[in-house]
Amino acid sequence: MTHLTRRNAIALGASGCLAAVAGCLGAFEELGGDDADGDGTLGDPANEVEVRVTDMPNPSFEPAIVHVHPGGTVRWLVEGRRHTVTSYHPDTYGPQRWPDGAETFHSGLLRSDREFEWTFEEEGVYDYVDTRALCATHEALGAVGRVVVGWPDPEGQPALEHDVTELQGRATTIMRELNEETRAVLADGAD
């Protein structure tokens, strides 16, 4: 039988307090504490996210929308034949669906099993497109995507203000859906 001394009682009490604090910290992270890293889905930003670039059944980015913290990195992994990842901006391709003053990118042609990554430093809504064309443009087939960085005010975001009918084919429908989702989540996040 173990004899309970004053020293053992203090040690047991301290252990209990440490366990309680650790449990509270874990719950804080699960609830989205400042340092918590989410899974990258819209409304749960992460520090790093991967997007698959696929061919089947049509060229697409999966998932079509991701959410990162400012300073977060998105990595596009090509699982199809040949694709690009390009900012929707007059400097690179199409209309401006990119925050004012933010640096733009064009991955160049990416073949299967290649990747491209970009770190997004500033809050905003960033739209991008696969500019590859074969029988039809990948854009017209729906190969468009979005990165939401932080919790920007939806007002003043070019991606959410520009007319989606400026885009080709299925890109119009997909961007309309992404706009609805993004506005709803950003409005909820502001509350």
Side-chain angles (χ1 to χ4, degrees):
M1 181 172 200
T2 304
H3 182 57
L4 183 62
T5 64
R6 185 171 184 225
R7 180 176 288 169
N8 288 344
I10 292 172
L12 282 172
S15 297
C17 287
L18 286 174
V21 168
C24 288
L25 289 175
F28 177 70
E29 282 192 18
E30 287 178 355
L31 294 172
D34 290 339
D35 294 330
D37 189 30
D39 64 10
T41 59
L42 187 58
D44 194 13
N47 291 319
E48 291 185 12
V49 178
E50 290 186 356
V51 175
R52 293 179 16 251
V53 187
T54 65
D55 283 342
M56 297 296 176
N58 290 313
S60 65
F61 296 104
E62 295 178 15
I65 187 168
V66 295
H67 198 165
V68 296
H69 296 291
T73 299
V74 178
R75 179 176 300 110
W76 290 268
L77 305 170
V78 177
E79 294 179 355
R81 292 180 198 105
R82 294 182 182 134
H83 299 275
T84 71
V85 183
T86 307
S87 308
Y88 255 129
H89 190 279
D91 290 347
T92 51
Y93 179 87
Q96 183 176 346
R97 301 184 61 79
W98 201 258
D100 291 329
E103 188 178 353
T104 60
F105 60 74
H106 176 52
S107 66
L109 188 61
L110 300 170
R111 297 177 191 280
S112 186
D113 297 324
R114 302 292 180 172
E115 61 183 54
F116 173 75
E117 71 177 40
W118 191 261
T119 299
F120 293 84
E121 298 295 341
E122 298 178 31
E123 277 195 337
V125 178
Y126 297 78
D127 287 350
Y128 60 91
V129 59
D130 181 348
T131 61
R132 179 91 166 114
L134 199 51
C135 297
T137 65
H138 286 190
E139 175 188 29
L141 296 171
V144 293
R146 171 170 291 166
V147 177
V148 176
V149 180
W151 294 93
D153 182 349
E155 301 308 315
Q157 294 297 319
L160 297 171
E161 292 181 346
H162 281 82
D163 184 3
V164 296
T165 61
E166 297 174 314
L167 309 178
Q168 296 181 27
R170 262 188 110 248
T172 299
T173 303
I174 291 170
M175 282 303 180
R176 188 174 284 124
E177 291 168 2
L178 294 181
N179 283 351
E180 290 173 14
E181 289 178 51
T182 303
R183 285 184 181 283
V185 169
L186 291 180
D188 283 346
D191 295 339

